[in-house]
Amino acid sequence: MNDNAYPFSRRRLLAGAAAASAVTVTGVAVAPTAAAATPARATTPLVARDRIATAALRAPDGTAPAVRFQADFHARLAAWLAFWSANSPRAWSAPVQVVGRVAPAGDALTLHAIRYRRDDELRAGFAAGRRDGSHAATLASLHHHFPSVRVLPDGTVRVGDGPAGFTGAPGQVAFAVAACRELWGDGDATAARWAEHAGRALARAGQRADAASHAGWAAFTRISLRRGLGTESYE
């Protein structure tokens, strides 16, 4: 079955996801005491979706159930997938399948695979069990869009909802060190001086920015995505 029966250009996919990312869920319901305060999200109805952008959702067992999401999380996922696609090789189609599981609360995704078509063949642009450049690149794309990204022992990646940006969280620092080593060939990268090493990668890409800033983190994750997927080498 063709999961991409209504193909979109990457430009349209990116534009549509950007519009979707404007969807927000209102703040926090205030209770009489701090202990009793409960986020409004706890009572916000979830939305049922069987796609992320143009990609069909698949469970790891191959089934295609409709999945219930928090609306803002689904919009962020659509923007992320469009970003991943826009920075992938031109020969790849827009993603046609995303394989993963969504948490019952609708605010987290455990990602197993991203599949695209090339020459009428379904291929994996990301596969959890394949620890290669595309794995590191996809981590970069997720860190670009989400504050909570965690690699599980089997290589799957758990992503939690929230606004993008550098927070200095241990997971972000660990990713930056790994990216410098695995994608940029900087074997001396350490957690203590990760920003310096990431800055070298940014300089190779012709960008002068502090990797620990909002703009610098966005730039570093983007160039790491492109390098890992082979879109640009920055030599």
Side-chain angles (χ1 to χ4, degrees):
M1 182 179 70
N2 185 352
D3 288 307
N4 200 21
Y6 303 96
F8 285 74
S9 68
R10 292 191 184 190
R11 181 174 297 178
R12 291 183 62 193
L13 178 63
L14 188 58
S21 67
V23 177
T24 57
V25 175
T26 55
V28 174
V30 178
T33 66
T38 302
R41 173 175 288 177
T43 58
T44 300
L46 303 182
V47 295
R49 298 288 185 267
D50 62 0
R51 290 181 172 269
I52 296 174
T54 59
L57 282 165
R58 291 287 184 271
D61 63 5
T63 59
V67 181
R68 296 174 67 80
F69 290 89
Q70 293 287 346
D72 62 336
F73 183 50
H74 186 267
R76 286 190 176 106
L77 286 171
W80 154 71
L81 192 61
F83 173 74
W84 185 93
S85 179
N87 288 284
S88 66
R90 289 184 178 274
W92 297 10
S93 74
V96 296
Q97 289 183 3
V98 170
V99 182
R101 292 194 183 279
V102 177
D107 60 354
L109 169 72
T110 300
L111 179 66
H112 288 245
I114 305 170
R115 296 171 180 153
Y116 66 93
R117 288 192 185 280
R118 183 174 180 180
D119 301 326
D120 285 333
E121 182 180 341
L122 197 62
R123 306 187 184 192
F126 165 83
R130 195 178 68 202
R131 301 295 187 99
D132 57 4
S134 66
H135 194 283
T138 301
L139 284 177
S141 72
L142 290 166
H143 277 287
H144 187 93
H145 279 272
F146 298 95
S148 175
V149 180
R150 181 164 56 97
V151 181
L152 303 180
D154 62 356
T156 59
V157 184
R158 183 175 173 84
V159 185
D161 191 17
F166 179 73
T167 64
Q172 290 184 334
V173 174
F175 159 74
V177 172
C180 287
R181 292 176 178 176
E182 297 170 17
L183 294 177
W184 297 98
D186 189 348
D188 295 328
T190 64
R193 301 177 64 181
W194 74 269
E196 175 185 336
H197 294 277
R200 294 174 187 169
L202 285 166
R204 283 175 61 177
Q207 302 189 42
R208 303 288 178 178
D210 177 4
S213 68
H214 183 85
W217 182 251
F220 177 69
T221 50
R222 180 180 179 275
I223 64 172
S224 294
L225 166 62
R226 293 181 68 80
R227 183 169 173 84
L229 292 186
T231 315
E232 290 191 55
S233 63
Y234 301 106
E235 299 297 345

